[in-house]
Amino acid sequence: CTPARASLMTGRYHQRTRAIDTYLGRSMIEPAEVTLPQVLGDAGYVTGIFGKWHLGDCYPMRAIDMGFDTAVVHRGGGIAQPGDHPDNFGRESYFDPILNIDGVNQRVSGYCTDIFADRAMTFIEKTATENPDQPFFAYLATNAPHSPFQIADEWVQPYRDMGINE
């Protein structure tokens, strides 16, 4: 989770990035680290992240502080997990979640995976349409593999019909 993400974003062992675990402040990247989106941005790329960042939710460790031009992310380690927006707890939070969009918390309509994928595709299409020669980096890391494992009834019903309980 955080350690692998820190290594992916920096190309360094996670122990060197300060992002060594998933909780108790150990999921925050050292702000002085040089990240992949920073390097790509310096090379003329436009960069976007969609989904999970989990390397810091506060300045100067947010995705938008660490090189991403566009960020549509949940806070903390996952939607309705510690560190996420408090309004995402106690309800079906994967649906119509509060996400952090370019540093501003906003409620977004839809299912979280669909939101992240749709926003990533819009980012790619907009970049390709407005400036076809503009290189881009789109990082899509969905929340779906994390609890509380919420999906729409239409996807669960076939398994209920087979007698498989949730």
Side-chain angles (χ1 to χ4, degrees):
C1 196
T2 291
R5 195 170 319 280
S7 293
L8 180 65
M9 287 294 138
T10 64
R12 292 165 38 91
Y13 291 115
H14 69 275
Q15 295 94 337
R16 296 175 183 227
T17 69
R18 195 176 78 183
I20 60 170
D21 209 329
T22 59
Y23 62 99
L24 297 176
R26 294 176 284 201
S27 64
M28 297 183 290
I29 195 166
E30 173 59 47
E33 286 292 332
V34 177
T35 65
L36 177 61
Q38 289 170 328
V39 171
L40 291 174
D42 289 347
Y45 283 66
V46 62
T47 58
I49 180 173
F50 308 91
K52 184 171 183 166
W53 170 243
H54 204 196
L55 292 173
D57 294 325
C58 301
Y59 177 84
M61 297 164 287
R62 300 170 300 175
I64 59 173
D65 304 319
M66 299 297 291
F68 283 104
D69 299 309
T70 299
V72 179
V73 297
H74 58 70
R75 293 175 39 171
I79 295 175
Q81 291 187 1
D84 191 27
H85 193 282
D87 288 350
N88 281 340
F89 291 85
R91 56 183 214 63
E92 289 197 359
S93 53
Y94 280 27
F95 300 87
D96 304 332
I98 294 179
L99 300 175
N100 191 276
I101 301 173
D102 296 333
V104 178
N105 293 324
Q106 300 175 33
R107 185 167 306 279
V108 182
S109 296
Y111 182 69
C112 62
T113 301
D114 295 334
I115 294 165
F116 297 136
D118 291 346
R119 296 288 179 111
M121 289 187 296
T122 299
F123 169 82
I124 293 167
E125 290 167 356
K126 181 180 178 192
T127 301
T129 301
E130 291 180 1
N131 190 351
D133 296 326
Q134 173 78 53
F136 65 87
F137 173 64
Y139 178 66
L140 175 62
T142 65
N143 178 76
H146 298 82
S147 64
F149 309 118
Q150 300 170 356
I151 61 173
D153 284 336
E154 67 187 87
W155 297 104
V156 177
Q157 195 58 48
Y159 299 97
R160 289 181 181 142
D161 293 345
M162 289 187 286
I164 299 172
N165 295 323
E166 296 174 43

